[in-house]
Amino acid sequence: MVNCWGLLTSQEEPVPLKSVEVELEVRDHVATVVSTLNYENKEDKLLEAVFVFPLPGDAAVCHFSAKIGQTEIVAEVKEKQKAREEYDDALSSGREVFLLEESDQSPDIFSLSVGSLRPGESASIRLEYITELAVQADEGLRFCLPAVLNPRYQPRGSKDVCIQVTSVPASLVPYSLSFSARVSSPRPVSKVESNCPLDALQYLNTEQTQAMVKMAAGHKFDRDVELLIYYKDAHQPTAVVEAGQASAKPGTLMGDPVVMLSLYPEFPQAVMSSDASCAEFVFLLDRSGSMAGSRIKCARVFIIVPLTHLPMGCYFNIYSFGSSYEHIFPKSVEYNEKTMEEALKKVNTMGGDLEGTEILTPLEHIYSQPCISSQPRQLFVFTDGEVRNTKEVINLVKRNSGSHRCFSFGIGKAASSALINGLAKEGGGHAQFITGTDRMEPKVMQSLRFALQPTVVDISVKWDLPKGVSVTALSPPITALFDGQRSLVYAQLTGQSSEAVEGCVTVKYSLAGHPSQNQLHFSLKPAEDTGLTVHRLAARTLIRSLEKEEGERGGEQDGEVKKKVVELSVQSGVSSAFTAFIAVNKGDGKAIQGPLVLRNVPTPSEYIFPRTNLKARNPSRSTTVFMFKTVAYSQLSFHVFHCGSIGHQLTPREDLLQLVSLQKASGCWVLDPALAAALGKTSKEVKNTKPSAVSHLWATILALIWLHGFKMDAQEEWKLLAMKAVSWLRAQNASVTDVSEPQFLDAEITAVINDAK
């Protein structure tokens, strides 16, 4: 019989983790997260508890401490191997000890080991990390608190040195979660949304630049906690200068002021008005076992959106993968009516029947294909990121970054932020996350628009500072810019000036052969009450760059780069791949006696999984590739290639997708019952308004009228589609003159809109 009062694993073992408390503080677009994990040993045995959990891949852990009774122990950052040895020594001597470290395989997975927890004893562990918030397609800033550590697919033949982690249904997770968020910004906070129930947003000042929100009581830890934060006039460049640490030596990163720039480049409209129409697009559809059933049907929706918006004259191909991979065409083909219909027909028959999730092999094949002359290669990756070889996949993209751009999408609540962000960063593209009931179309369209923009080259950053002040760049060189998309730059300021208190930074670049630049003037006066957040984010950025350099060198030169990482990590108190946080309670010096029992803390999931292995601490041209792996959207009950009967009432999302799916590759629509149904009309109603001998022309005009009349709120989703339709109309000049006088079109358009209303 199960003992219901205790905290139990699926093996009916007591679990010492009782609750998790999370406090989020967001300042503009930077988040500080403080998590408090409360443990209690209700057994009569000495325990070691192991909790494996995800964090954002670009997060930097900057504080770790434990409180036992009235004794607080602040952890130190040490070289990882030394920290592990110290942890083992403390365990063997019966001392209370705590170890926090990131996985050797992926920077978004951390393990927390609580060693020698005495019978009846409680411990409170405080974990603090900082992270930048990603900007979404609708200009919201996204924060995600991961709740799930799903089983990660391990490629065949890979080595496995692991610990066991229990995954149980969220309803059976024995520990509770409380969550609160405080938001502040120079600009007013317009709203805060979440996929979880929240109490009402409370403004803390009359300017509405500060606000607070809490999670509603009774929330089950059954999903990621996702927050979307919206500011007024969000796309404004900003600069924050943070004073150095008083106790740190001047001239060091922590001792000098650090500046963080948020840049939003604006491209010349003369260049942007003619989007690039040539590219090679490759779609890679995930057909692993988890995609079977309704998921694979919903994944097809992802193909409609980009395929129907592609410009004539480009090239494309569609790959699908699992444990093996397939492709529809032997090589990329020219995009036209015939190839588009053939591709969609084959995609519509695909199922989730290719077992595993091996992304590396199809990517290797794609990169082995020669680039097509004058067709820039863009790589779009749609995946849930459930892989073990994250670093290997990212390194492959990086090695091929000179021949393509990579746009990545994390699908579902278990997507690895390390993988998704890493692919986009190393591939010079843009990352997106789609979870819960998110509408994927705006995000897909935003990335597609980015992919159709000319590649920005010759990017440089020039600083203009007062005499006596010098600058040291801490961020890697900017390799990708997109119109209106944020770029972050960190730099260390050394020296002082008694003259001007203002600096200027200029970003220069070449876009489609046109030299351009954007400037930002900023105050050198340090901002108030920023703590050391900017310094630690800058340290994190520099550490990640050095870690990549170390990986490329393969440990050469006696680990010179690794030594720099360890030194910087220890100096800044920021986690790295080569360090760990270690805290030992030396107390009164008396060792704890008795055998040590291991307890693994379960993580929540939708289903009961067997114990799953996770890595432990002791072991210039651009093809567009779309990888798909989605969550099920039950509201999409229609088939995108089969229109319902005339008069069928579609949801706002369904009717737009239905119309989109009917557009031909050339950009036109056909006047038939399917189009009439999409417009909410009968065939007779549509045909009665048609001028003679202009069927396709009239159908296309009606579709554009409907989009402008009823779907302006979703304009970003069909903007490219409409541009393609208008281009087709302009090419039909001869036919337009057959529609009587120009006033005829105006009268008919007005009549159709009025009738529709």
Side-chain angles (χ1 to χ4, degrees), residues 59-60 69 176 196 444 564:
S176 61
C196 300
V444 173
K564 291 181 181 178

Side-chain angles (χ1 to χ4, degrees), residues 421-436:
N421 290 327
L423 291 176
K425 188 172 184 179
E426 296 301 339
H430 181 62
Q432 303 266 22
F433 289 87
I434 300 173
T435 60

